Amino acid sequence: ERMDVGVGGHEVYDPDVHWMQETMDSILLILKVLGGLALALSGFLIVNMMNATVNQQVWQIGVMKVVGATRGRVARVYLAMALFYGLLSLVLSVPPGAVASHLLAGWLLDLLSVTTGDFRIMPMAVGLQVAVGLAVPLIAALVPVLQGARITPHEAIRSYGLGGGFGRGWFDRFIGRVRSLPRPLALSLRNTFRRKVRITLTLGTLVLAGVMFMVVMSISQSMTNTIEVLLNDFGFDLLVVVDRPHRAARLLEATMAVDGVTYAEVWDVRNAAVELDDGEEVPGQLWGVPDHSRMFNPRTTAGRALLPEDGRAILLNTKIANDHDIRVGDTVTLTVADEELTWTVVGLVLNVNNLQRDNFVPFDTLAREIGNANRGAFVMMGTAEQDYASHERVTRDLRAVYKAKRIKPVFFQGGAELRQQTKAQFNTIIYLMLAMAILAGAVGGVGLMTTMSINVVERGREIGVMRAVGATSASILGIFIVEGVLVGVLSWAIALPLSYPAARVFSGVIGNTLLELPLDFAYSVVGGLLWLVVVVVLSSLASLWPALRATQVSVREA
């Protein structure tokens, strides 16, 4: 001030806490939740594979029992196999996992303009991977292995395997009564439910993958809706900031002289720290809103909007109010231009700008309190055309008019640009969740391919019989592909109703974590239909390779 330099305000930050720490914590929380779901999918895959392996080797288990193997010895054989799979997974996952995490961290830190450190192995992360990689396969394999180890030699000799004997249950008899279908389709339908435990595990994997995908799509749509609603607080098409406050009438006259500008308003904004009872200061901004504004459409969560007759009334940001237990009717003190001003909270407003630190007061009251009556430095305007080229032309004309009237603009921003920037902040989260959903779908596809491959091996003699009575390769190929598609469509039918409540719950968690408010929930119908297409294609591809193997089985080999 001694140098005649105007000071608009100041902010003090904790040097030990990054300003984006809360947002980054939210992103990491979402990654942990999605990582846990991916791990659950892997568990389904292991259970399915071990159940199929034990099922396929029932006769071998019977032989081991005959020559003296105990239940514990049989269990150890198959648990050792599961442990070997875990060790193999660690070899294949730890090195690429470390590289991928380094690249992902670099991408996230680059968004915050933070330089990434050198690549290094994190011992804690590797230790967690090793613990999970060894424990999860053993736990997932425990139930099918113990079931197989309990089989007696007599049961093994007379059994076709765990889950054999299709046609004994009411569900089997119900499927058997379906007579109007073409014979290959009827065979596919009956074969689908021949191994109920196996198909249940495969369905579980695909259902979980489908729920994850539809939940992510619904959250993406809900987040987009929420941002659109919150950005409607400022319904401007173009914003201009000038170097210092000017008379409002002069700014409006110059702005409205530009062709294409339909209406304009002069606002003011000041850095303002909310002072709390314990002496802490919460940095933020105070916006002066003109009476009868056409551009300010606040979304209040409590109380009311600002009225023309209001004096020292404030719309306080909901995040600040929730963080510090401030309610409608309370008074708050804000330091503006080194002056402490007391305001009465008449409403709480949702706003995502400036890390949810924007608050709103009447323009005239703010100008009068800081000795700046009828003056402002922010001009918000509406334009006749909304496209980028029109805004560029209006901006050029504004510069020329302001220069002629000795008004110096320092910043221009379009409303569409502000929306794009705000959405880009949340797109990172959406992309991460979509990547995990795609990964879940891939795991589900691998599970289905494993199931279909085992089905082909088990039904080798059946395939030989069909070939002997005249079945063509195309017919056998169609039977197995239709069987896989039936599983995929059934998983979609189960996942669809489950995805709605799951999306609602997860949407609330993400909204409260990121924005400290529930998202404007919107269920993604497009996401549900898209997953149907994805799961049909995925099921077809997952069934194709086993089906091609089935067509190569000759009658003699069977």
Side-chain angles (χ1 to χ4, degrees):
E1 290 175 346
R2 288 195 301 269
M3 296 170 61
D4 197 27
V5 176
V7 180
H10 68 277
E11 294 185 17
V12 179
Y13 291 96
D14 185 345
D16 296 325
V17 180
H18 194 275
W19 59 277
M20 282 287 286
Q21 186 65 51
E22 289 186 5
T23 302
M24 190 57 64
D25 287 341
S26 302
I27 293 175
L28 296 178
L29 175 63
I30 293 169
L31 281 175
K32 289 175 184 176
V33 171
L34 295 175
L37 292 173
L39 185 60
L41 283 172
S42 302
F44 274 111
L45 204 60
I46 296 167
V47 173
N48 194 7
M49 183 190 64
M50 292 305 299
N51 184 75
T53 302
V54 173
N55 179 28
Q56 187 181 352
Q57 298 183 7
V58 167
W59 192 85
Q60 288 91 326
I61 293 174
V63 172
M64 286 191 287
K65 289 288 187 74
V66 168
V67 297
T70 63
R71 182 184 301 179
R73 178 62 62 87
V74 172
R76 285 198 295 273
V77 168
Y78 289 96
L79 288 177
M81 184 170 64
L83 185 62
F84 175 77
Y85 284 132
L87 290 170
L88 185 60
S89 75
L90 290 174
V91 174
L92 298 175
S93 66
V94 172
V99 174
S101 64
H102 179 74
L103 296 175
L104 178 59
W107 177 54
L108 292 174
L109 290 171
D110 185 61
L111 298 176
L112 308 178
S113 299
V114 176
T115 303
T116 310
D118 296 332
F119 173 80
R120 63 185 188 275
I121 299 295
M122 299 294 181
M124 182 177 178
V126 174
L128 186 61
Q129 280 180 287
V130 171
V132 169
L134 298 181
V136 170
L138 290 176
I139 295 172
L142 200 57
V143 172
V145 167
L146 291 179
Q147 285 179 344
R150 285 200 297 266
I151 296 175
T152 64
H154 175 70
E155 290 173 334
I157 291 171
R158 69 181 179 86
S159 173
Y160 288 101
L162 291 175
F166 180 85
R168 296 174 183 174
W170 66 268
F171 185 72
D172 300 341
R173 292 192 294 272
F174 170 76
I175 294 177
R177 293 193 188 99
V178 178
R179 302 293 184 184
S180 57
L181 298 176
R183 184 169 296 175
L185 183 57
L187 277 173
S188 298
L189 180 62
R190 295 170 191 176
N191 287 333
T192 299
F193 299 100
R194 178 182 294 188
R195 303 291 188 183
K196 295 180 181 57
V197 174
R198 188 184 306 165
I199 196 62
T200 299
L201 294 171
T202 305
L203 279 174
T205 308
L206 287 172
V207 166
L208 187 54
V211 169
M212 284 180 63
F213 184 88
M214 288 182 271
V215 164
V216 168
M217 294 297 291
S218 296
I219 290 174
S220 174
Q221 185 171 331
S222 300
M223 194 171 288
T224 300
N225 290 350
T226 303
I227 294 171
E228 281 295 334
V229 169
L230 297 181
L231 288 178
N232 283 336
D233 288 355
F234 300 126
F236 65 89
D237 296 322
L238 199 61
L239 164 69
V240 181
V241 183
V242 297
D243 62 333
R244 59 185 176 84
H246 291 265
R247 286 187 300 107
R250 184 177 178 218
L251 287 174
L252 291 176
E253 179 185 1
T255 303
M256 294 302 296
V258 174
D259 184 37
V261 176
T262 56
Y263 58 91
E265 296 175 0
V266 175
W267 290 46
D268 200 4
V269 61
R270 300 283 169 168
N271 289 330
V274 180
E275 297 186 5
L276 305 176
D277 294 338
D278 58 3
E280 181 186 355
E281 289 189 352
V282 180
Q285 286 187 328
L286 199 60
W287 288 79
V289 184
D291 293 342
H292 306 292
S293 173
R294 295 175 57 181
M295 303 184 194
F296 187 52
N297 303 290
R299 185 183 181 193
T300 55
T301 59
R304 60 171 176 81
L306 296 174
L307 300 176
E309 61 270 18
D310 281 335
R312 285 194 179 185
I314 185 172
L315 282 179
L316 194 67
N317 198 293
T318 300
K319 176 175 170 56
I320 296 176
N322 291 339
D323 287 347
H324 305 287
D325 195 26
I326 301 173
R327 304 180 184 279
V328 173
D330 293 348
T331 57
V332 293
T333 300
L334 281 78
T335 303
V336 184
D338 291 333
E339 291 198 23
E340 294 185 356
L341 304 177
T342 302
W343 307 82
T344 300
V345 179
V346 298
L348 304 180
V349 63
L350 295 178
N351 185 279
V352 295
N353 297 319
N354 192 29
L355 296 178
Q356 302 181 72
R357 292 175 178 171
D358 284 349
N359 309 285
F360 305 90
V361 299
F363 174 85
D364 293 334
T365 304
L366 177 62
R368 185 172 58 252
E369 295 293 344
I370 63 176
N372 203 29
N374 296 323
R375 302 170 75 87
F378 283 70
V379 184
M380 295 188 184
M381 65 198 76
T383 58
E385 304 293 337
Q386 313 300 323
D387 59 282
Y388 180 78
S390 298
H391 283 177
E392 284 288 295
R393 180 189 59 77
V394 171
T395 299
R396 288 194 301 269
D397 294 345
L398 281 170
R399 289 184 185 277
V401 171
Y402 284 166
K403 183 177 181 180
K405 294 184 176 293
R406 297 183 180 179
I407 300 172
K408 184 179 180 181
V410 294
F411 179 73
F412 288 86
Q413 185 174 48
E417 180 186 358
L418 175 62
R419 282 172 167 76
Q420 191 64 31
Q421 289 176 354
T422 306
K423 289 179 181 178
Q425 299 175 13
F426 296 96
N427 282 344
T428 302
I429 301 171
I430 298 300
Y431 294 153
L432 288 175
M433 291 192 295
L434 281 175
M436 297 302 293
I438 293 171
L439 177 61
V443 173
V446 171
L448 180 59
M449 186 167 64
T450 303
T451 297
M452 297 302 298
S453 297
I454 295 170
N455 287 348
V456 169
V457 173
E458 286 184 346
R459 284 148 55 184
R461 302 181 74 179
E462 178 184 319
I463 295 169
V465 171
M466 286 191 291
R467 296 294 296 270
V469 297
T472 63
S473 296
S475 299
I476 294 174
L477 188 71
I479 288 172
F480 282 95
I481 290 181
V482 169
E483 184 178 335
V485 172
L486 282 174
V487 174
V489 173
L490 181 59
S491 74
W492 172 81
I494 297 173
L496 188 64
L498 294 177
S499 64
Y500 183 86
R504 267 200 171 279
V505 172
F506 205 35
S507 174
V509 170
I510 288 183
N512 290 322
T513 302
L514 283 178
L515 305 176
E516 297 192 8
L517 57 98
L519 299 180
D520 270 1
F521 179 73
Y523 183 75
S524 177
V525 177
V526 174
L529 297 176
L530 181 60
W531 178 249
L532 175 60
V533 175
V534 169
V535 81
V536 168
V537 174
L538 196 65
S539 302
S540 302
L541 294 177
S543 306
L544 183 60
W545 182 69
L548 288 174
R549 286 185 57 195
T551 61
Q552 296 170 3
V553 177
S554 66
V555 177
R556 180 182 60 81
E557 290 170 337

